[in-house]
Amino acid sequence: RFYGMLPEVIRDLPFVNYVITVNGASIYDVRKGKNIAEANIPLENALKVMEYLDGFDCIYDCYMENGAWISQKQWDRIEEFDLDVHYLKMWKEQRRRVPDLKSYLKQQGRDIQKTQCLVKDGNLRERLLKEVPYFFPQINATSSLQNNVEFNDIHASKGEALKSLALHIGCTEENVLSFGDGLNDLSMIKTAGIGIAMANSCKEVLNAADDIVSDCDHDGVAEGIEKYCF
């Protein structure tokens, strides 16, 4: 998600100085209120991916300049895609509806941070994860839910952003502790000096992690910080 979509309880933590958002497409300096690094999808590439997605039973949106946009007809279908209550609320409240997303983006003429789609079929999810990077080599595909696929520029990943942020603050990724649970966390888990998986993580993250802590409902992050930082 983009910075403005983060819960206030996280944004207001006094020790949060930087935030990696949108799967690594943005590194945001909280104190200065600006991005210090970006890796956006060129508009032409984003439109090609959306045109490809039009051939499947899915809906898609995009993130651009700290906002999210979606076509009205696709927003009307959100409840078909079996989102849990939390994600359904976030999709409905955070998306700005336009008559047609591709036409709107052409009018704006700006690059985008990310586009993501919701699918009903796990087989389609796996297909899109493989096919989109194959047909569009400048696009990186990942996922954070069982029924979504997220597309970023090939240079955007949490792992690459972690490296850039470490360099910016004067250290290396070997000095970083990271936590993750979803497929879009995999590059970060592999890049950090110590990459920790939550117990509820997907199998790819569990297999790549240096350690595993309790799940997200049982204070796993606190467990890892206490173990490695004190």
Side-chain angles (χ1 to χ4, degrees):
R1 61 192 71 179
F2 50 85
Y3 178 72
M5 196 186 289
L6 293 180
E8 290 184 16
V9 67
I10 295 176
R11 294 204 307 265
D12 293 343
L13 290 171
F15 50 81
V16 174
N17 296 313
Y18 302 95
V19 180
I20 293 173
T21 64
V22 202
N23 288 340
S26 168
I27 305 175
Y28 189 76
D29 185 323
V30 176
R31 304 307 163 200
K32 295 183 179 179
K34 65 178 183 179
N35 289 326
I36 60 174
E38 292 181 294
N40 294 332
I41 306 175
L43 177 58
E44 181 180 359
N45 293 347
L47 292 172
K48 288 179 179 178
V49 171
M50 292 177 183
E51 289 168 359
Y52 182 75
L53 294 176
D54 285 336
F56 301 95
D57 184 18
C58 66
I59 62 173
Y60 56 82
D61 67 356
C62 82
Y63 290 0
M64 179 175 63
E65 296 186 352
N66 206 34
W69 281 263
I70 188 171
S71 296
Q72 177 67 57
K73 288 184 178 180
Q74 298 205 9
W75 188 91
D76 291 339
R77 297 187 61 201
I78 289 174
E79 293 191 13
E80 297 177 21
F81 289 84
D82 196 30
L83 289 169
D84 69 24
V85 175
H86 169 74
Y87 282 105
L88 180 61
K89 182 175 184 291
M90 185 169 64
W91 266 75
K92 284 191 169 184
E93 290 183 353
Q94 296 290 344
R95 272 68 184 167
R96 305 179 192 180
R97 289 164 280 173
V98 295
D100 179 74
L101 181 59
K102 295 194 297 296
S103 297
Y104 175 77
L105 293 176
K106 290 175 184 178
Q107 293 171 359
Q108 298 300 307
R110 292 177 286 180
D111 298 339
I112 71 169
Q113 295 171 304
K114 180 180 83 170
T115 184
Q116 66 175 320
C117 68
L118 293 178
V119 299
K120 300 177 183 178
D121 182 356
N123 291 327
L124 177 57
R125 174 180 177 270
E126 296 304 314
R127 179 178 174 181
L128 293 175
L129 282 168
K130 295 176 182 177
E131 286 191 1
V132 171
Y134 177 80
F135 290 121
F136 306 98
Q138 294 305 308
I139 298 296
N140 180 44
T142 186
S143 177
S144 58
L145 302 171
Q146 290 300 312
N147 61 341
N148 89 328
V149 187
E150 305 179 17
F151 307 105
N152 287 84
D153 184 77
I154 191 66
H155 301 294
S157 73
K158 292 185 181 183
E160 288 302 313
L162 187 150
K163 288 181 183 179
S164 297
L165 179 56
L167 181 64
H168 179 77
I169 63 177
C171 69
T172 64
E173 59 268 26
E174 286 81 10
N175 302 113
V176 174
L177 176 69
S178 71
F179 298 83
D181 58 4
L183 189 60
N184 61 339
D185 296 319
L186 184 59
S187 63
M188 179 178 64
I189 293 295
K190 290 181 175 180
T191 299
I194 301 175
I196 299 179
M198 316 304 293
N200 58 287
S201 298
C202 66
K203 63 181 180 180
E204 292 88 349
V205 170
L206 289 170
N207 291 336
D210 299 300
D211 200 356
I212 299 172
V213 293
S214 300
D215 64 29
C216 292
D217 292 325
H218 295 88
D219 301 327
V221 172
E223 180 183 319
I225 291 174
E226 289 176 351
K227 180 176 181 179
Y228 289 100
C229 298
F230 293 99

